Amino acid sequence: MGPGALSQVLRHLPGLVDRRLLVGYATGDDAAVYQLDENTALVFTVDFFPPVANNGYEFGQVAAANALSDVYAMGARPLLALNVAIFPTGLDPGILQEILRGGAEKVAEAGAVLGGGHTVCGDEPMYGLAVIGLGEPGHILTNAGCRAGDVLFLTKPLGTGVLLRALRDRALDESRERALYRTMAELNRDAADAARAAGATGCTDITGFGLLGHGSEMAVASRVSLELDAGALPWLDGAVELAAQGKLPGGAHRNQDHFGSKVVVGPGVSPGHTRLMYDPQTSGGLLVSLPPGREEVFVRAMDERKAPCWRVGRATEQGEALILVR
């Protein structure tokens, strides 16, 4: 569901009042957090979507990595997962078997346990996970923790939405397709570990609302503004070229319509780059905020894990614009 329609739905729901619910839906965070005792918090999320790969196994891997990412974005570790699947009766059940196999292997890679799940019949295949994770109440990362002066890092290249559209249009070559699959199937575990080690103040994963959408939610929840360096943003090969041709998915336009009024883009940023920053991501990276002086700790921790990261901006005192792109 697009951000505009979703916000209309949520605004009519009653507020959630329970001292043990540390994080609910009010800030648009990645998962709910419920405090079990003074040392333990339960992190709970669910995420599923239609196929984004050309075979069932790869689809299962990507969908599972995407769902697990919500737990990592909260600074927690996945503990238990359940499959959530919709599958048409007319399709070969072997396809579902491959989807579930891919998901199960990714859950195992995360060090979590797959305990079963639920399937229903439908017109279109969909797959994902409900995931429970564990964290410490005083060390949960949320999109509300970013502070003015913090430095912002991104941990995966952008552009999955525009490349997925090209894949559906059969306009994506094999090398770019493989690169797209690799980044979507990659767990955000290393990035989450590095963020905790560096004392991150806030975090969110970049998924369906795009960089500027999720960045806007972080700015609102944290009561800051963000400054992003367009030239420092990492892109998947071919993404900028496709965006310049206007070949963006519909979700990018919905994101821009909803979030664009509070985003200011400098004159040196091309229209193609601007549109691409609203591109909805599938299993994207983490946007991590770090206190000044902790950047080297984070970069070193990522280097030790052979994981990439890019310094993409900073947080400032709250201004009229939620995000300024230079």
Side-chain angles (χ1 to χ4, degrees):
M1 181 178 286
L6 181 60
S7 65
Q8 289 301 311
V9 171
L10 295 180
R11 67 191 293 263
H12 295 293
L13 293 181
L16 303 176
V17 181
D18 190 313
R19 63 180 179 81
R20 293 164 296 183
L21 185 66
L22 304 182
V23 180
Y25 60 74
T27 56
D29 232 308
D30 297 296
V33 181
Y34 185 89
Q35 184 167 350
L36 297 176
D37 56 43
E38 62 179 11
N39 298 313
T40 311
L42 182 149
V43 179
F44 190 24
T45 187
V46 60
D47 205 322
F48 61 101
F49 46 65
V52 292
N54 280 331
N55 67 69
Y57 175 80
E58 292 184 350
F59 171 39
Q61 292 255 296
V62 171
N66 181 76
L68 291 160
S69 180
D70 288 341
V71 174
Y72 290 130
M74 307 300 290
R77 62 179 180 86
L79 176 70
L80 176 68
L82 296 175
N83 290 314
V84 180
I86 300 173
F87 199 74
T89 56
L91 281 184
D92 178 4
I95 298 173
L96 179 58
Q97 178 179 323
E98 285 299 289
I99 293 171
L100 298 180
R101 183 172 72 90
E105 290 187 9
K106 191 58 63 173
V107 171
E109 181 185 337
V113 175
L114 185 62
H118 185 67
T119 58
V120 296
C121 296
D123 295 331
E124 181 180 19
M126 293 191 186
Y127 173 69
L129 298 173
V131 186
I132 291 174
L134 292 181
E136 299 177 47
H139 298 279
I140 295 294
L141 295 176
T142 75
N143 66 3
C146 185
R147 300 186 295 238
D150 281 356
V151 181
L152 301 174
F153 278 83
L154 189 63
T155 66
K156 282 189 185 183
L158 301 162
T160 64
V162 67
L163 292 182
L164 282 171
R165 175 182 167 175
L167 181 63
R168 289 191 295 270
D169 293 342
R170 299 183 179 181
L172 195 66
D173 62 56
E174 184 176 354
S175 64
R176 288 175 174 173
E177 180 182 344
R178 301 316 304 162
L180 171 62
Y181 164 69
R182 282 194 301 272
T183 190
M184 292 191 300
E186 181 183 1
L187 293 175
N188 279 322
R189 176 178 54 194
D190 289 340
D193 289 345
R196 288 193 299 269
T201 57
C203 187
T204 187
D205 65 344
I206 306 303
T207 51
F209 295 164
L211 175 64
L212 294 184
H214 289 289
S216 293
E217 290 186 328
M218 176 178 272
V220 170
S222 298
R223 298 181 181 179
V224 297
S225 290
L226 306 184
E227 289 186 359
L228 298 179
D229 179 359
L233 296 177
W235 306 104
L236 288 166
D237 184 33
V240 174
E241 175 188 345
L242 289 165
Q245 298 170 9
K247 296 179 179 179
L248 284 159
H253 304 295
R254 289 191 293 271
N255 289 340
Q256 186 165 9
D257 289 344
H258 184 72
F259 295 106
S261 64
K262 288 295 186 178
V263 174
V264 174
V265 179
V269 183
S270 71
H273 273 83
T274 301
R275 289 191 294 267
L276 196 51
M277 283 184 273
Y278 290 103
D279 185 46
Q281 302 302 285
T282 296
S283 193
L286 302 185
L287 181 64
V288 181
S289 64
L290 298 164
R294 301 298 291 177
E295 306 98 301
E296 288 187 9
V297 178
F298 181 72
V299 172
R300 185 165 59 250
M302 292 292 279
D303 285 344
E304 290 171 354
R305 293 163 172 82
K306 295 181 172 55
C309 64
W310 296 265
R311 179 172 176 165
V312 297
R314 67 189 185 103
T316 65
E317 296 292 339
Q318 190 174 40
E320 289 189 14
L322 293 177
I323 299 181
L324 173 62
V325 183
R326 298 183 184 276

